[in-house]
């Protein structure tokens, strides 16, 4: 409980204990370290940002309608080769990551029940889900080197005498296994009453890991990590936004090159409809994470946001909202692409076009991820550093950070709030502008002419403008949960 944290901080000085007391006074019941929790409301002139953000996306689309898309296509193909690297560190990275997962699970069972003191929830929801996703999106496929399933799969496959799985993953399944698992992951994170409880999270993590390891033995690591295990699928897709591109040059080496942000999205193969839905679900879940806490959403269902009844009382409402957000976003995207293809004279090309254009959603998804979780990353990241040094709350100081004084005040004050808001707003606007650039380049490759590409992109540009405004509104809306 947070009482343990108070006792620990009281030994560091009255200021730390007083800060913790203030936190306890503000938090009803158990304190949670969930990455999406927001501790303040930014009361800034958001109307100017809403108009400016929409105008930036509209202006980008207008300029692209008259600009030669061949230049964008050329930039998307440019690479700066850096040589090659050996692949053997992958096995070591995977084994190290697996050992870390095992240690965190042990801490989940044996450590403090306070999620601000136990490293398991902090590492899962803040360091992995927020931090690693951002690293993956900015750099490239870092996950490939540390995938914790790879080392145990290699060992078990060697024992079984199999280099691949026992059966091929059916093509007709598409990405549906990943969709089902990602929905379960999002539901546990957003809807389940206690996703930060260390012991429950440890049980869930063990079940998830073993289930997917068994699937990898049956279908092969490569197939299941590309279309089945949802976190690997998500990481592989997000990596296409990064500026580092790697690829096999031999069995023992991988080439390394630099490219512009989003260039790999333009060159990606079109996804099947299930892959398109997977990316839309990933974006929709982060959007609903912001929406579900707003006064607007709670008021729609007669819930007083100042007297929030707790997550257990709104499980049904939360499940409905998660499904509804995904459905509305999917309907909007497919409708925009379908209308755009009609305007371009290619009405029968809707599903293939959607599978290609959905890659332009990734910059938006990353922008929402950064903006929505930035405050939590800054504060909970400090808690994670302290908890890793003393995972069992027994006075250890493994990395010299157990006595770290968490500075939650880094986000307080007018200047810091202004800086935070501008970083968040800038990321959302920049993500949508990059999405328009990527979508326009893909559309040019699909249709072969500037005019047809512009026509096909008009409805999608309208959707992106609406989503820009929606994202900025979410950031500025007061929350009650």
């Amino acid at each position: 409980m947070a009482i343990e944290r108070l006792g620990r901080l009281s030994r560091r000085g009255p200021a730390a204990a007083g800060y913790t007391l203030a936190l306890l006074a503000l938090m009803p019941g158990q304190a949670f370290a969930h990455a999406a929790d927001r501790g303040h409301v930014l009361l800034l002139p958001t109307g100017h940002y809403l108009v400016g953000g929409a105008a930036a996306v509209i202006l980008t689309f207008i300029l692209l309608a008259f600009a030669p898309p061949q230049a964008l296509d050329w930039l998307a193909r440019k690479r700066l080769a850096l040589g090659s690297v050996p692949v053997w560190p992958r096995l070591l990275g995977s084994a190290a990551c697996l050992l870390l997962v095992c240690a965190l699970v042990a801490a989940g069972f044996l450590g403090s029940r306070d999620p601000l003191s136990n490293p398991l929830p902090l590492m899962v929801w803040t360091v992995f889900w927020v931090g690693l996703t951002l690293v993956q999106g900015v750099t490239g496929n870092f996950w490939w080197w540390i995938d914790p399933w790879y080392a145990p799969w290699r060992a078990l496959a060697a024992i079984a005498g199999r280099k691949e799985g026992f059966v091929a993953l059916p093509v007709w399944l598409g990405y549906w296994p990943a969709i089902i698992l990602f929905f379960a992951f999002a539901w546990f994170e957003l809807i389940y009453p206690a996703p930060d409880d260390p012991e429950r999270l440890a049980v869930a993590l063990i079940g998830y890991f073993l289930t997917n390891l068994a699937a990898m033995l049956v279908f092969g690591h490569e197939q299941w990590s590309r279309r089945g295990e949802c976190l690997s699928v998500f990481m592989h897709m997000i990596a296409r936004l990064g500026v580092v591109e790697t690829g096999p040059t031999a069995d023992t080496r991988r080439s390394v090159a630099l490219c512009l942000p989003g260039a790999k999205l333009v060159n990606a193969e079109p996804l099947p409809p299930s892959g398109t839905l997977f990316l839309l679900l990933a974006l929709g879940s982060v959007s609903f994470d912001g929406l579900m806490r707003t006064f607007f959403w709670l008021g729609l269902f007669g819930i007083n946001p100042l007297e929030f009844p707790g997550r257990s009382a709104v499980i049904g409402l939360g499940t409905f909202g998660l499904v509804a957000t995904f459905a509305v976003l999917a309907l909007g995207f497919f409708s925009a692409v379908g209308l755009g293809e009609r305007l371009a004279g290619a009405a029968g090309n809707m599903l293939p076009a959607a599978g290609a254009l959905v890659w332009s959603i990734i910059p938006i998804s990353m922008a929402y991820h950064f903006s929505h979780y930035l405050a939590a990353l800054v504060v909970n990241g400090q808690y994670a550093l302290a908890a890793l040094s003393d995972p069992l709350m027994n006075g250890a100081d493994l990395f010299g950070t157990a006595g770290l004084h968490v500075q939650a005040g880094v986000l307080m004050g007018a200047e810091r709030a202004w800086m935070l808001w501008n970083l968040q707003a800038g990321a959302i606007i920049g993500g949508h502008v990059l999405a328009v650039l990527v979508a326009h380049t893909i559309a040019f490759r699909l249709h072969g002419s500037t005019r047809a590409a512009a026509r096909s992109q008009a409805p999608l540009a309208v959707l992106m403008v609406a989503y820009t405004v929606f994202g900025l509104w979410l950031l500025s809306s007061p929350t009650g949960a």
Side-chain angles (χ1 to χ4, degrees):
M1 293 294 180
I3 298 297
E4 300 174 37
R5 190 73 174 177
L6 173 59
R8 184 178 178 181
L9 287 175
S10 65
R11 296 192 293 271
R12 302 177 193 168
Y19 168 68
T20 308
L21 280 172
L23 281 178
L24 290 174
L26 291 172
M27 295 181 182
Q30 184 178 9
F32 287 111
H34 186 263
D37 292 344
R38 216 161 67 190
H40 60 274
V41 177
L42 299 177
L43 300 177
L44 295 172
T46 53
H48 297 78
Y49 287 86
L50 297 180
V51 174
V57 178
I58 293 172
L59 182 60
T60 302
F61 172 75
I62 293 174
L63 291 176
L64 288 176
F66 296 98
Q70 293 88 345
L72 290 176
D73 188 75
W74 179 80
L75 288 172
R77 298 180 189 276
K78 290 295 291 181
R79 297 292 186 273
L80 176 62
L82 299 179
S84 63
V85 294
V87 300
W88 61 262
R90 183 188 189 189
L91 193 60
L92 294 181
S94 174
C97 189
L98 177 62
L99 289 176
L100 176 61
V101 171
C102 292
L104 291 173
V105 168
F109 287 116
L110 304 175
S112 169
R113 293 300 298 273
D114 174 17
L116 291 177
S117 298
N118 194 300
L120 177 61
L122 289 164
M123 289 295 291
V124 169
W125 300 124
T126 301
V127 177
F128 169 74
W129 181 233
V130 181
L132 183 59
T133 297
L134 293 177
V135 169
Q136 189 85 350
V138 172
T139 59
N141 202 358
F142 179 70
W143 176 254
W144 189 87
W145 298 94
I146 63 169
D147 173 4
W149 281 281
Y150 181 71
W153 169 80
R154 279 279 301 268
L156 293 173
I159 294 173
R162 309 280 302 188
K163 290 186 177 181
E164 300 295 336
F166 290 91
V167 296
L169 186 64
V171 175
W172 59 266
L173 270 179
Y175 287 80
W176 281 108
I179 291 174
I180 293 170
L181 287 177
F182 194 92
F183 183 85
F185 170 81
W187 188 91
F188 182 81
E189 180 202 6
L190 305 178
I191 313 301
Y192 183 70
D196 295 316
D197 180 81
E199 188 172 330
R200 298 185 194 184
L201 182 57
V203 171
L205 186 56
I206 290 173
Y208 185 84
F209 186 89
L210 294 179
T211 299
N212 283 282
L213 181 59
M216 288 174 183
L217 287 174
V218 174
F219 299 112
H221 177 272
E222 180 69 16
Q223 289 194 62
W224 190 252
S225 64
R226 292 288 180 176
R227 292 193 286 139
E229 196 281 298
C230 67
L231 299 179
S232 295
V233 174
F234 180 75
M235 288 295 180
H236 286 307
M237 290 182 173
I238 288 292
R240 290 187 174 274
L241 179 62
V243 296
V244 178
E245 183 177 60
T246 61
T249 56
D251 291 339
T252 59
R253 301 193 69 82
R254 288 180 71 84
S255 63
V256 180
L258 294 179
C259 62
L260 291 174
K264 291 179 289 184
L265 299 172
V266 175
N267 297 322
E269 290 292 325
L271 290 170
S274 58
T276 302
L277 289 172
F278 176 85
L279 273 178
L280 294 172
L281 175 61
L283 174 59
S285 66
V286 177
S287 298
F288 180 66
D289 195 0
L291 177 64
M292 66 185 289
R293 292 170 171 78
T294 61
F295 282 18
F296 170 78
W297 173 261
L298 296 172
L300 281 179
F301 301 95
I303 298 174
N304 184 348
L306 301 180
E307 297 179 358
F308 185 66
R311 291 171 66 128
S312 298
V314 294
I315 289 178
L317 175 60
T319 304
F320 162 77
L322 181 61
V323 173
T325 303
F326 168 53
V328 170
L329 179 59
L331 178 62
F333 177 79
F334 281 107
S335 298
V337 173
L339 179 57
E341 292 305 299
R342 283 183 176 273
L343 293 175
N349 200 36
M350 194 270 281
L351 287 180
L357 290 168
V358 75
W359 290 111
S360 66
I361 292 292
I362 286 183
I364 299 174
S365 181
M366 279 298 298
Y368 271 77
H369 204 89
F370 171 83
S371 301
H372 186 64
Y373 296 128
L374 176 59
L377 180 62
V378 172
V379 176
N380 288 349
Q382 299 176 67
Y383 280 111
L385 285 175
L388 282 172
S389 264
D390 190 5
L392 301 181
M393 288 289 286
N394 59 2
D397 193 2
L398 302 178
F399 306 108
T401 56
L404 178 68
H405 182 73
V406 176
Q407 300 288 335
V410 297
L411 301 177
M412 298 179 183
E415 291 185 3
R416 289 171 179 172
W418 181 88
M419 181 179 67
L420 177 68
W421 166 255
N422 279 280
L423 283 172
Q424 293 172 314
I428 286 183
I429 295 170
H432 281 80
V433 169
L434 180 57
V436 171
L437 293 171
V438 170
H440 191 74
T441 308
I442 293 173
F444 172 72
R445 292 187 178 183
L446 289 174
H447 298 286
S449 74
T450 304
R451 179 174 296 182
R455 286 178 178 174
S456 72
Q457 288 305 287
L460 193 57
V462 172
L463 179 64
M464 289 183 177
V465 169
Y467 222 76
T468 302
V469 173
F470 175 66
L472 294 173
W473 173 80
L474 279 181
L475 288 178
S476 61
S477 296
T479 59

